[in-house]
Amino acid sequence: MSTLAQEAAVAAASIVTSAAAHRYLYLRLVKDVTASARLRRAGRAAAVALTILVPTGVLAAQYANPTHIAWLAWPAFVWVALAAYLLMTLVVLEIPVRLTARALRRRTGSGLVVPAQAPRVPVAQQGHSVAAPTTGDTHPQPAQDAPRMMDRRLVLARSVALLATTTAVATTGYGFHRGLGAPDVKVVPVALRRLHPSLDGMRITMASDLHLGPFFGRPHTARMVRMINDTSPDLVAIVGDLSDSSAQDLATHAAPLTRLSSPHGTFFVTGNHDYRHDIDAWIATLADFRVTTLRNTRTLIKHRHGAIDLAGVTDITGEQNHDTPDYDRALGDRDASHPVVLLAHQPVQVHEAARHKVDLQLSGHTHGGAFFPGNLLVPLTQPLTAGLATIDHTQLYVSRGVGASLPPIRVGAPPDITVIELRRQ
């Protein structure tokens, strides 16, 4: 299937998914809570408009100049985040709501039934005998409780809608506050074999997933640069997904990278999002900003009286862009007396790194799951969601990143800048 056909298929699937989700939201948040024909018409119109807004905004954010479509991207992605939590909350409540509604029906059917009254017979006057009363229909008849039942169901539906809306708004608001705010700064000691004693305490400050675009621009880059410089790094590593657009559109937003300061410089490897536009133009622009791209290459970092090999490979996505990761080229024929640190955007690349006896791989890509249920999905494709682990005798550290691509929210996965502090083993 051609790339154009794949994109068309993805767009069609997005529209169908969006329509199904918005129909469900309309049923639970509008139709179930009001009998007003006017409000229901307004709800249907809003559902149609939002169904169109979501895929339009997402596609525009990926392919258009981000400085031109921020007015569209912001409402689209705010709603994507809000709708996601509305859906999750409503789905979680679906079973208890159905059980409660069933209990109400049973209670109404058994507890609000009264027997029919026997008709009264007038008493005979002036000596006539009293006629025996007739029993009539003695079978019990249900009370006229349909309005009461409808009231209870309406109260239940409105309570659920209010709970879901409150939960979604609060969670989304917190997520945007955390996602757009300053990242955490973490210091992670990592012990390496063969590390020269003079390198004990060497600091590699890493950042990943800047995602320069409609949500993160020059102020975001400048803040990140200040925070990195405050860590007094010996070396800076940017581990992929610098941008969601072209160098022509966003070069000025990346320009603060020039101010990164460390004795051994700043190094970059490509991420999957970097291939959405001309990667060669980005690499040339970064060189102007004093950022060195490790494109299936390595460099010897001499620090004090010791040295480490710093290597970098392109992202897996590069295979589709004639830029396939080449581990043999980046890691072959090196001096085995030095430990080697590999920059590779995706954690899953650690398997090849281990095969080449890499001591430490630094990665990003996962965003730590960003927000629930992302943390449950990452392990389906990656060996580690965030933090430090050892895989096949190679240590892997995964940063949660400092930016975001889709809704720029963080819930349970705060953004981070990490200082890797090398220690002797």
Side-chain angles (χ1 to χ4, degrees), residues 339-420:
V340 58
V341 176
L342 175 69
L343 309 183
H345 179 60
Q346 297 198 37
V348 73
Q349 294 177 270
V350 73
H351 300 299
E352 280 293 331
R355 194 170 68 84
H356 288 80
K357 299 185 181 343
V358 166
D359 295 280
L360 171 65
Q361 176 178 312
L362 303 180
S363 298
H365 183 65
T366 67
H367 299 212
F371 60 94
F372 180 86
N375 60 315
L376 303 180
L377 301 178
V378 171
L380 299 178
T381 58
Q382 301 293 336
L384 184 64
T385 302
L388 182 66
T390 299
I391 298 176
D392 298 333
H393 305 293
T394 290
Q395 294 187 84
L396 169 65
Y397 181 80
V398 180
S399 169
R400 294 187 178 97
V402 296
S405 176
L406 291 178
I409 66 173
R410 298 284 190 137
V411 179
D416 68 60
I417 291 170
T418 302
V419 181
I420 302 294

Side-chain angles (χ1 to χ4, degrees), residues 8 51-52 76 134 145 175 186 235 333 351 364 367 373-374 379 406 424:
T51 296
I52 297 171
T134 58
D145 59 348
K186 303 171 64 178
L235 181 153
D333 299 324
H351 300 299
H367 299 212
L406 291 178
R424 293 190 68 198

Side-chain angles (χ1 to χ4, degrees), residues 29 78-90 160-178 409 411:
L29 300 181
V78 168
W79 175 248
V80 165
L82 186 59
Y85 279 107
L86 280 170
L87 286 167
M88 284 187 280
T89 307
L90 288 169
V160 169
L162 179 61
L163 176 60
T165 301
T166 302
T167 301
V169 169
T171 305
T172 303
Y174 168 80
F176 273 102
H177 171 75
R178 199 67 183 92
I409 66 173
V411 179

Side-chain angles (χ1 to χ4, degrees), residues 317-357:
T317 308
E319 296 175 359
Q320 305 168 18
N321 296 271
H322 309 290
D323 200 21
T324 302
D326 189 335
Y327 300 90
D328 291 332
R329 180 183 169 195
L331 299 166
D333 299 324
R334 66 181 187 272
D335 186 345
S337 66
H338 302 146
V340 58
V341 176
L342 175 69
L343 309 183
H345 179 60
Q346 297 198 37
V348 73
Q349 294 177 270
V350 73
H351 300 299
E352 280 293 331
R355 194 170 68 84
H356 288 80
K357 299 185 181 343

Side-chain angles (χ1 to χ4, degrees), residues 90-109:
L90 288 169
V91 167
V92 168
L93 293 174
E94 192 74 33
I95 292 178
V97 166
R98 288 179 180 273
L99 293 176
T100 302
R102 180 178 298 179
L104 286 175
R105 286 195 296 270
R106 289 176 176 175
R107 181 179 178 184
T108 302

Side-chain angles (χ1 to χ4, degrees), residues 63-192:
Y63 297 105
N65 185 328
T67 60
H68 295 162
I69 53 86
W71 62 272
L72 176 62
W74 268 107
F77 280 86
V78 168
W79 175 248
V80 165
L82 186 59
Y85 279 107
L86 280 170
L87 286 167
M88 284 187 280
T89 307
L90 288 169
V91 167
V92 168
L93 293 174
E94 192 74 33
I95 292 178
V97 166
R98 288 179 180 273
L99 293 176
T100 302
R102 180 178 298 179
L104 286 175
R105 286 195 296 270
R106 289 176 176 175
R107 181 179 178 184
T108 302
S110 60
L112 295 177
V113 173
V114 297
Q117 295 282 335
R120 294 182 178 274
V121 177
V123 179
Q125 297 180 2
Q126 298 180 357
H128 292 283
S129 61
V130 178
T134 58
T135 59
D137 186 4
T138 59
H139 294 290
Q141 296 179 347
Q144 300 300 315
D145 59 348
R148 184 181 303 175
M149 180 61 185
M150 291 298 295
D151 287 345
R152 290 177 175 177
R153 292 176 63 182
L154 188 60
V155 168
L156 177 62
R158 287 178 175 175
S159 299
V160 169
L162 179 61
L163 176 60
T165 301
T166 302
T167 301
V169 169
T171 305
T172 303
Y174 168 80
F176 273 102
H177 171 75
R178 199 67 183 92
L180 297 172
D184 296 339
V185 177
K186 303 171 64 178
V187 178
V188 178
V190 179
L192 296 183

